Amino acid sequence: MAVKVLIPTPLRQYTAGKDTVEASGATVNEVLKDLGTQYAGITERMLDGAKIRRFVNVYVNDEDIRYLQNLETAVKDGDEVSIIPAVAGG
Amino acid sequence: MSNDSPTALSNPPSLPDRYSRQTIFPGIGVEGQRRLMQSHVTLCGCGALGTVLASSLARAGVGHLRIIDRDFLELHNLQRQVLFDENDVNEGLPKAEAAARKLEAINSTIHVEPVVTDIDHTNIIELAQDADLILDGTDNFETRYLINDVAVKLGKPWVYGGCIGSHGQVMNIVPGQTPCLRCVVESAPPPGMAPTCETAGILGPTVNIIASLQAAEALKILTGHFDAIVRELIMIDIWDGTFKKLKIAGLLDTVDCPTCKKRNFEWLDGKLGSHTTSLCGRNAVQIAHRSSERLSFETLEKQLSPLGPVTYNRFMLKFDVDGYQFTVFPDGRAIIKGTNDVNKARTLYAQYIGH
C-alpha cells in the first residue's frame, strides 16, 4: 500500500526538506518502518523503542490512531498519515 | 465611518454604538454582547499570542481582563507582539503593565488587571477561580499543563494555542465535553527534542492567525455558543498554506487520562514542573525563587554596584556582570540572560542575589 506521509517542519531535515513523502505498508507501523528505511534517523525522533513518543501524535486521514488500532491501524492506498508534534512556542 | 457626524465623534460612544459591528452579527447579538461585557477572562501570558488575544478581547468588550505575564519588554519582541512599541521598550516596562496601558486607551469601559508574576502551582487557583474562561498566551508546556490542571479541576473552559516558525495549533478544552490537553499531548517534549523560538524562529503572521483563532473560540464560549466551537485540533502552516482539522473527540473515551479521568492534578499539586525554566529563544533562564518579603532594590543596588552596572525602577532591577544580564523582580524572581544552562543560572543567582 502506498500512502502519503505528511512530515512536520522539525522532521524535514531528514527528508531533504520535503513536506510530503510516500511510504508503503499495510499498517501504520509498517509505514513508519518504511519511512525509517528511506530516511535514516527520522523514526528515532518519533518512536521511543516500539512506541510513539508521548509528545508526538499520528493521524490517519485526520483521525488520531490512539482511538483506532494505534500502530496496528490498517492503511490503504491513497491514505494520508500525518505526524503531529506538540507545539510549545507562543 | 464616513457616515459618522462630527457631533457623534465628540460624544463618548454609547455601548451599542461602540460594539454595533459585532452585535449586528447574529452569533453575538445584543444578548451576546451583554454576556461579553459581564465576563471575566484570565489571560496567561502576554507575549506574541497574548497581545493579539488581549487586543481582540478588549476591543470586543470583555468586561474584566486579567493579564498575567512574568516578562519585561525587549526590542526583539516588537517583531510580533502587536500591543507594544519602542517607547515601552525604552521605559523597560513589564509586558502586563505595558499591555494594560494600551488597552486602557483602546477601551476605557472595561476593567484590565495587569499581574506581573510567574504563574505557578501556588498562585494559579487564585488567578483563575473567578474566570469564565482561561486563555493560553504562554510559550511553554509546563504552564499549559498547570492551566489544564486548574481548568479541569475547576471545570472551566480554556483555549490552547501554540506556534513555532510558520506552524501553529489551536484547541478548545471544555472539561467533560472535549479531551483535555493531556489526553492529546501526553507529555511535553524533553529538552533538545523539539524546536524552540531560538532554533526555528517565529513569524508574526503565524502568531496573529493562531491567536485570532483562539479569540474567535473565546467569543463563542463567552457568549454561550458551545454548539459552534471547534472540537478538532486546528493545525495551520502559513508557509505551506495548509489548514487542517484533526479529529480528537474519540480520545475522550479511549485515553485513560491521569488528569481528566483520574483527576490527578500533578502540576497543580506541585509534583511535576520545576520553578526554574529556560526561556524560549532568549538564551536566558528564569529562577522563580519566591521570597516572603519583597526585595529592596535600594539595598541590592548597593551590594551589586561595585561588581557591575546596576539600574532599577519600581518594577525591576537590572545588573550586568561577566557577560550575564540579570533582571530581578520585587518578588525575588530573576531572569538571567547569557546562558541556557539552568544549573549555571542557579549558581549565578546564588552568587549575586543569594537565597
Side-chain angles (χ1 to χ4, degrees):
Chain A
M1 307 292 169
V3 305
K4 198 162 94 170
V5 184
L6 304 188
I7 308 295
T9 317
L11 299 184
R12 288 181 197 166
Q13 56 183 289
Y14 299 98
T15 59
K18 279 189 270 186
D19 57 3
T20 309
V21 299
E22 288 231 327
S24 54
T27 63
V28 171
N29 203 21
E30 288 178 17
V31 168
L32 295 184
K33 271 193 186 145
D34 182 49
L35 189 69
T37 310
Q38 294 183 62
Y39 304 98
I42 196 167
T43 40
E44 285 77 4
R45 291 286 299 272
M46 300 170 49
L47 299 176
D48 181 10
K51 289 180 71 177
I52 292 172
R53 291 186 185 275
R54 286 155 57 89
F55 59 91
V56 177
N57 290 318
V58 176
Y59 295 79
V60 173
N61 300 332
D62 302 343
E63 305 266 0
D64 194 308
I65 60 167
R66 285 179 291 164
Y67 64 79
L68 302 173
Q69 281 82 46
N70 229 316
L71 283 170
E72 296 312 311
T73 302
V75 293
K76 57 183 189 310
D77 268 341
D79 276 355
E80 196 174 85
V81 173
S82 305
I83 300 162
I84 312 292
V87 174
Chain B
M1 289 303 292
S2 57
N3 293 333
D4 288 344
S5 69
T7 321
L9 285 173
S10 66
N11 290 327
S14 66
L15 290 178
D17 257 9
R18 167 170 210 127
Y19 302 117
S20 62
R21 301 306 190 269
Q22 88 187 11
T23 51
I24 206 164
F25 177 75
I28 304 285
V30 173
E31 172 60 16
Q33 189 61 46
R34 192 187 60 77
R35 292 178 78 151
L36 287 177
M37 289 159 67
Q38 288 171 350
S39 56
H40 284 235
V41 168
T42 288
L43 170 59
C44 300
C46 194
L49 293 171
T51 48
V52 177
L53 286 165
S55 171
S56 298
L57 297 192
R59 288 172 197 277
V62 167
H64 190 118
L65 200 50
R66 178 178 294 132
I67 299 174
I68 312 154
D69 197 283
R70 63 189 179 190
D71 211 354
F72 60 94
L73 272 156
E74 292 182 272
L75 195 57
H76 62 77
N77 298 142
L78 301 185
Q79 170 244 359
R80 65 198 181 283
Q81 302 187 10
V82 298
L83 276 183
F84 306 132
D85 60 38
E86 291 179 5
N87 290 331
D88 302 322
V89 176
N90 294 337
E91 274 193 71
L93 291 176
K95 291 180 180 177
E97 183 74 27
R101 291 184 188 184
K102 291 283 156 56
L103 297 171
E104 172 71 19
I106 289 167
N107 190 346
S108 61
T109 68
I110 63 165
H111 183 228
V112 180
E113 180 194 350
V115 183
V116 184
T117 195
D118 188 34
I119 298 168
D120 66 19
H121 73 283
T122 67
N123 60 15
I124 193 163
I125 288 187
E126 191 188 337
L127 293 166
Q129 64 188 357
D130 58 352
D132 300 302
L133 171 69
I134 306 167
L135 285 175
D136 171 19
T138 70
D139 62 358
N140 66 87
F141 266 102
E142 197 171 316
T143 314
R144 290 189 178 105
Y145 283 123
L146 198 55
I147 294 171
N148 191 57
D149 270 8
V150 84
V152 172
K153 183 168 187 171
L154 302 179
K156 292 181 187 296
W158 75 281
V159 188
Y160 158 76
C163 39
I164 196 92
S166 59
H167 174 85
Q169 300 180 3
V170 176
M171 177 172 58
N172 284 306
I173 291 105
V174 183
Q177 288 189 30
T178 71
C180 77
L181 179 68
R182 210 171 175 194
C183 295
V184 178
V185 181
E186 292 177 9
S187 76
M193 288 300 285
T196 66
C197 307
E198 193 168 47
T199 59
I202 176 73
L203 298 181
T206 314
V207 169
N208 279 275
I209 292 171
I210 291 302
S212 296
L213 289 168
Q214 286 179 279
E217 296 307 306
L219 293 181
K220 296 177 204 173
I221 291 169
L222 293 172
T223 56
H225 289 294
F226 285 88
D227 54 326
I229 66 167
V230 176
R231 286 166 192 267
E232 292 91 2
L233 171 67
I234 300 174
M235 205 183 78
I236 63 144
D237 191 299
I238 59 164
W239 213 255
D240 298 348
T242 51
F243 185 106
K244 277 174 95 71
K245 288 200 284 186
L246 298 163
K247 298 185 183 85
I248 52 172
L251 295 174
L252 191 60
D253 298 322
T254 46
V255 173
D256 194 19
C257 178
T259 306
C260 68
K261 289 279 168 58
K262 296 178 179 166
R263 300 185 73 79
N264 285 336
F265 302 114
E266 292 167 288
W267 279 270
L268 193 56
D269 293 341
K271 291 174 188 158
L272 290 177
S274 75
H275 301 286
T276 304
T277 34
S278 188
L279 301 180
C280 185
R282 296 268 304 276
N283 190 32
V285 174
Q286 172 177 258
I287 312 274
H289 175 76
R290 286 189 172 275
S291 168
S292 54
E293 288 179 34
R294 289 176 81 76
L295 292 187
S296 161
F297 286 160
E298 203 179 339
T299 310
L300 198 56
E301 195 262 346
K302 284 195 182 104
Q303 288 170 13
L304 297 176
S305 55
L307 307 171
V310 183
T311 56
Y312 67 92
N313 59 24
R314 69 189 171 95
F315 303 115
M316 72 191 75
L317 175 144
K318 291 195 172 200
F319 164 56
D320 289 13
V321 67
D322 294 341
Y324 301 102
Q325 292 92 48
F326 283 67
T327 303
V328 187
F329 297 85
D331 62 359
R333 183 168 60 87
I335 292 171
I336 302 173
K337 204 170 172 184
T339 181
N340 278 320
D341 179 345
V342 165
N343 290 328
K344 174 70 184 168
R346 283 203 182 104
T347 305
L348 288 165
Y349 188 96
Q351 281 175 335
Y352 293 106
I353 313 297
H355 290 290

